[in-house]
Amino acid sequence: MKGLRLYLRSRRAPAATGSAAGILVVMWVLWESSSNSPEAGLQMVVLTILLLVAALTMTLSGPDDELDRTGALPWPALRALHLSTALVLIGGQLLITQLTGARFGPTSLALRDIAGLLGLTAASAAVIGTAKAWFVPLGWTLAAVLFPQGDSLLGRVLTWQAQEPSSRAAAVTATLLALTGLLAYAMTGPARKAPGDATTQ
């Protein structure tokens, strides 16, 4: 138990979880006060998931990247469990809104986007580091939401985050991103911080 507590503290998990909960409350209040529909719009749901994933990005690395590569801990399994827990945490928070007057769903869309964006963030963390890992999901998702494409296969793939839940192309794209991110992050961990990044995280 002490090891788990130290792990969570080193990942700033309490602060990240609190930030995610605060973001969801803000988005919930915005929709509840500005719309007559109990179902949050697709763009609102996608942007909320993006923000929740960004809030948890800080937990993908600790204060010492070298420490995460030493010792007897099974780091690949631990990192995979970490990502799985983040998926459950975000999904659970959105699921709670189904009991309220402003619902963020449907569940299939939420799970697809959470898995895809977490995978994309994890892959980015493994390649460019945790400090900049949210750049790629943010830029891609904003472009997908602001510039929707037509019904072509390429368009559905490029804007997978904002596609309807029934879109098979979007589901396949999200699954590939989730698996890629899971494997990259679990096997290699976050990229080592540049000297200047150590003070910004």
Side-chain angles (χ1 to χ4, degrees):
M1 186 58 73
K2 182 179 179 181
L4 176 61
R5 193 163 57 243
L6 290 175
Y7 177 84
L8 294 176
R9 285 180 57 189
S10 71
R11 294 309 195 269
R12 293 152 290 175
T17 304
S19 298
I23 288 169
L24 181 59
V25 169
V26 170
M27 300 300 277
W28 187 92
V29 170
L30 286 175
W31 185 261
E32 173 72 8
S33 60
S34 64
S35 175
N36 293 324
S37 172
E39 305 292 341
L42 187 145
Q43 292 182 341
M44 188 69 165
V45 175
V46 173
L47 290 177
T48 300
I49 293 172
L50 173 67
L51 292 174
L52 295 178
V53 170
L56 295 184
T57 300
M58 71 168 73
T59 69
L60 296 180
S61 66
D64 188 346
D65 292 334
E66 296 301 326
L67 187 62
D68 287 4
R69 292 173 168 79
T70 60
L73 291 176
W75 286 109
L78 196 57
R79 293 181 190 120
L81 179 61
H82 187 113
L83 288 179
S84 300
T85 303
L87 188 147
V88 171
L89 180 64
I90 297 174
Q93 288 183 337
L94 292 177
L95 192 60
I96 290 174
T97 67
Q98 299 299 313
L99 305 175
T100 70
R103 299 187 283 271
F104 284 66
T107 303
S108 58
L109 180 142
L111 287 177
R112 180 195 73 192
D113 281 17
I114 295 169
L117 288 174
L118 267 177
L120 185 59
T121 302
S124 299
V127 176
I128 60 178
T130 303
K132 301 180 180 71
W134 56 276
F135 287 2
V136 177
L138 176 68
W140 190 349
T141 303
L142 288 181
V145 170
L146 296 176
F147 305 104
Q149 300 296 307
D151 289 333
S152 68
L153 177 60
L154 180 60
R156 281 177 281 152
V157 169
L158 291 177
T159 59
W160 63 272
Q161 306 96 319
Q163 292 293 317
E164 293 295 327
S166 59
S167 173
R168 182 173 299 179
V172 171
T173 304
T175 301
L176 290 175
L177 288 172
L179 292 176
T180 301
L182 176 63
L183 289 174
Y185 179 74
M187 298 309 296
T188 66
R192 291 176 172 81
K193 299 182 185 75
D197 292 340
T199 59
T200 61
Q201 293 189 37

